[in-house]
mmCIF file of all heavy atoms in Angstrom:
data_model
loop_
_atom_site.group_PDB
_atom_site.id
_atom_site.type_symbol
_atom_site.label_atom_id
_atom_site.label_comp_id
_atom_site.label_asym_id
_atom_site.label_seq_id
_atom_site.Cartn_x
_atom_site.Cartn_y
_atom_site.Cartn_z
ATOM 1 N N ASN A 364 73.532 79.280 115.428
ATOM 2 C CA ASN A 364 73.244 79.008 114.034
ATOM 3 C C ASN A 364 72.880 80.284 113.309
ATOM 4 O O ASN A 364 71.665 80.572 113.000
ATOM 5 C CB ASN A 364 72.133 77.957 113.843
ATOM 6 C CG ASN A 364 71.064 78.224 114.892
ATOM 7 O OD1 ASN A 364 71.057 79.224 115.622
ATOM 8 N ND2 ASN A 364 70.037 77.343 114.927
ATOM 9 N N ALA A 365 73.900 81.082 112.979
ATOM 10 C CA ALA A 365 73.699 82.411 112.465
ATOM 11 C C ALA A 365 72.897 82.457 111.184
ATOM 12 O O ALA A 365 71.983 83.316 111.005
ATOM 13 C CB ALA A 365 75.060 83.080 112.225
ATOM 14 N N TYR A 366 73.173 81.550 110.277
ATOM 15 C CA TYR A 366 72.494 81.596 108.947
ATOM 16 C C TYR A 366 71.009 81.361 109.122
ATOM 17 O O TYR A 366 70.191 82.130 108.516
ATOM 18 C CB TYR A 366 73.079 80.595 107.933
ATOM 19 C CG TYR A 366 74.511 80.994 107.589
ATOM 20 C CD1 TYR A 366 75.614 80.237 108.048
ATOM 21 C CD2 TYR A 366 74.774 82.098 106.822
ATOM 22 C CE1 TYR A 366 76.914 80.565 107.713
ATOM 23 C CE2 TYR A 366 76.109 82.487 106.495
ATOM 24 C CZ TYR A 366 77.144 81.677 106.935
ATOM 25 O OH TYR A 366 78.425 82.071 106.617
ATOM 26 N N GLU A 367 70.636 80.415 109.991
ATOM 27 C CA GLU A 367 69.196 80.132 110.199
ATOM 28 C C GLU A 367 68.521 81.379 110.896
ATOM 29 O O GLU A 367 67.447 81.745 110.527
ATOM 30 C CB GLU A 367 69.041 78.911 111.099
ATOM 31 C CG GLU A 367 69.140 77.576 110.346
ATOM 32 C CD GLU A 367 69.222 76.455 111.301
ATOM 33 O OE1 GLU A 367 68.480 76.436 112.305
ATOM 34 O OE2 GLU A 367 70.065 75.553 111.055
ATOM 35 N N ILE A 368 69.217 81.867 111.864
ATOM 36 C CA ILE A 368 68.620 82.995 112.607
ATOM 37 C C ILE A 368 68.384 84.162 111.679
ATOM 38 O O ILE A 368 67.331 84.788 111.702
ATOM 39 C CB ILE A 368 69.572 83.396 113.780
ATOM 40 C CG1 ILE A 368 69.588 82.331 114.810
ATOM 41 C CG2 ILE A 368 69.186 84.738 114.346
ATOM 42 C CD1 ILE A 368 70.593 82.534 115.953
ATOM 43 N N CYS A 369 69.358 84.420 110.787
ATOM 44 C CA CYS A 369 69.208 85.581 109.884
ATOM 45 C C CYS A 369 68.073 85.331 108.903
ATOM 46 O O CYS A 369 67.344 86.276 108.528
ATOM 47 C CB CYS A 369 70.531 85.816 109.176
ATOM 48 S SG CYS A 369 71.765 86.480 110.329
ATOM 49 N N GLN A 370 67.880 84.070 108.479
ATOM 50 C CA GLN A 370 66.782 83.698 107.603
ATOM 51 C C GLN A 370 65.445 83.981 108.307
ATOM 52 O O GLN A 370 64.544 84.543 107.703
ATOM 53 C CB GLN A 370 66.906 82.258 107.189
ATOM 54 C CG GLN A 370 67.796 81.974 105.994
ATOM 55 C CD GLN A 370 67.464 82.834 104.750
ATOM 56 O OE1 GLN A 370 66.263 83.141 104.527
ATOM 57 N NE2 GLN A 370 68.462 83.271 104.001
ATOM 58 N N THR A 371 65.364 83.509 109.549
ATOM 59 C CA THR A 371 64.112 83.631 110.300
ATOM 60 C C THR A 371 63.841 85.184 110.476
ATOM 61 O O THR A 371 62.681 85.629 110.324
ATOM 62 C CB THR A 371 64.265 83.003 111.736
ATOM 63 O OG1 THR A 371 64.709 81.718 111.489
ATOM 64 C CG2 THR A 371 62.970 83.031 112.495
ATOM 65 N N LEU A 372 64.846 85.919 110.844
ATOM 66 C CA LEU A 372 64.639 87.343 111.021
ATOM 67 C C LEU A 372 64.213 88.011 109.733
ATOM 68 O O LEU A 372 63.354 88.965 109.743
ATOM 69 C CB LEU A 372 65.950 88.017 111.531
ATOM 70 C CG LEU A 372 66.348 87.668 112.955
ATOM 71 C CD1 LEU A 372 67.711 88.202 113.309
ATOM 72 C CD2 LEU A 372 65.303 88.243 113.987
ATOM 73 N N LYS A 373 64.782 87.554 108.592
ATOM 74 C CA LYS A 373 64.459 88.172 107.289
ATOM 75 C C LYS A 373 62.939 88.038 107.049
ATOM 76 O O LYS A 373 62.341 88.977 106.490
ATOM 77 C CB LYS A 373 65.248 87.400 106.269
ATOM 78 C CG LYS A 373 65.444 88.165 104.969
ATOM 79 C CD LYS A 373 66.489 87.426 104.147
ATOM 80 C CE LYS A 373 66.300 87.653 102.678
ATOM 81 N NZ LYS A 373 67.105 86.747 101.885
ATOM 82 N N LYS A 374 62.361 86.864 107.487
ATOM 83 C CA LYS A 374 60.907 86.725 107.276
ATOM 84 C C LYS A 374 60.148 87.758 108.080
ATOM 85 O O LYS A 374 58.975 88.068 107.724
ATOM 86 C CB LYS A 374 60.527 85.285 107.706
ATOM 87 C CG LYS A 374 60.953 84.259 106.682
ATOM 88 C CD LYS A 374 60.466 82.901 107.033
ATOM 89 C CE LYS A 374 61.267 81.877 106.195
ATOM 90 N NZ LYS A 374 61.738 80.729 106.977
ATOM 91 N N GLU A 375 60.694 88.246 109.140
ATOM 92 C CA GLU A 375 60.092 89.331 109.980
ATOM 93 C C GLU A 375 60.494 90.693 109.469
ATOM 94 O O GLU A 375 60.321 91.681 110.199
ATOM 95 C CB GLU A 375 60.468 89.138 111.471
ATOM 96 C CG GLU A 375 60.061 87.820 112.068
ATOM 97 C CD GLU A 375 58.612 87.510 112.051
ATOM 98 O OE1 GLU A 375 57.809 88.481 112.277
ATOM 99 O OE2 GLU A 375 58.245 86.356 111.721
ATOM 100 N N HIS A 376 61.162 90.760 108.363
ATOM 101 C CA HIS A 376 61.686 92.004 107.760
ATOM 102 C C HIS A 376 62.729 92.644 108.593
ATOM 103 O O HIS A 376 62.892 93.891 108.664
ATOM 104 C CB HIS A 376 60.495 92.977 107.519
ATOM 105 C CG HIS A 376 59.334 92.362 106.803
ATOM 106 N ND1 HIS A 376 59.348 92.092 105.450
ATOM 107 C CD2 HIS A 376 58.143 91.918 107.281
ATOM 108 C CE1 HIS A 376 58.215 91.494 105.116
ATOM 109 N NE2 HIS A 376 57.471 91.363 106.212
ATOM 110 N N VAL A 377 63.519 91.774 109.265
ATOM 111 C CA VAL A 377 64.663 92.314 110.023
ATOM 112 C C VAL A 377 65.931 91.772 109.370
ATOM 113 O O VAL A 377 66.085 90.572 109.098
ATOM 114 C CB VAL A 377 64.593 91.727 111.482
ATOM 115 C CG1 VAL A 377 65.841 92.090 112.249
ATOM 116 C CG2 VAL A 377 63.353 92.323 112.166
ATOM 117 N N TYR A 378 66.851 92.716 109.060
ATOM 118 C CA TYR A 378 68.057 92.362 108.312
ATOM 119 C C TYR A 378 69.337 92.602 109.053
ATOM 120 O O TYR A 378 69.605 93.740 109.467
ATOM 121 C CB TYR A 378 68.065 93.127 106.955
ATOM 122 C CG TYR A 378 66.964 92.720 106.010
ATOM 123 C CD1 TYR A 378 65.694 93.355 106.170
ATOM 124 C CD2 TYR A 378 67.060 91.770 105.084
ATOM 125 C CE1 TYR A 378 64.637 93.016 105.360
ATOM 126 C CE2 TYR A 378 66.050 91.386 104.230
ATOM 127 C CZ TYR A 378 64.831 91.995 104.353
ATOM 128 O OH TYR A 378 63.776 91.644 103.545
ATOM 129 N N VAL A 379 70.075 91.573 109.294
ATOM 130 C CA VAL A 379 71.426 91.637 109.922
ATOM 131 C C VAL A 379 72.311 90.699 109.077
ATOM 132 O O VAL A 379 71.830 89.980 108.258
ATOM 133 C CB VAL A 379 71.409 91.213 111.422
ATOM 134 C CG1 VAL A 379 70.764 92.284 112.248
ATOM 135 C CG2 VAL A 379 70.700 89.886 111.578
ATOM 136 N N ILE A 380 73.627 90.797 109.351
ATOM 137 C CA ILE A 380 74.572 90.044 108.466
ATOM 138 C C ILE A 380 75.172 88.806 109.166
ATOM 139 O O ILE A 380 75.799 88.959 110.184
ATOM 140 C CB ILE A 380 75.756 91.021 108.064
ATOM 141 C CG1 ILE A 380 75.257 92.256 107.372
ATOM 142 C CG2 ILE A 380 76.765 90.216 107.275
ATOM 143 C CD1 ILE A 380 74.798 92.035 105.969
#
Side-chain angles (χ1 to χ4, degrees):
N364 41 6
Y366 293 109
E367 280 169 41
I368 291 173
C369 292
Q370 276 305 326
T371 310
L372 289 172
K373 203 168 153 190
K374 287 183 195 137
E375 301 301 320
H376 311 284
V377 173
Y378 294 85
V379 286
I380 303 287

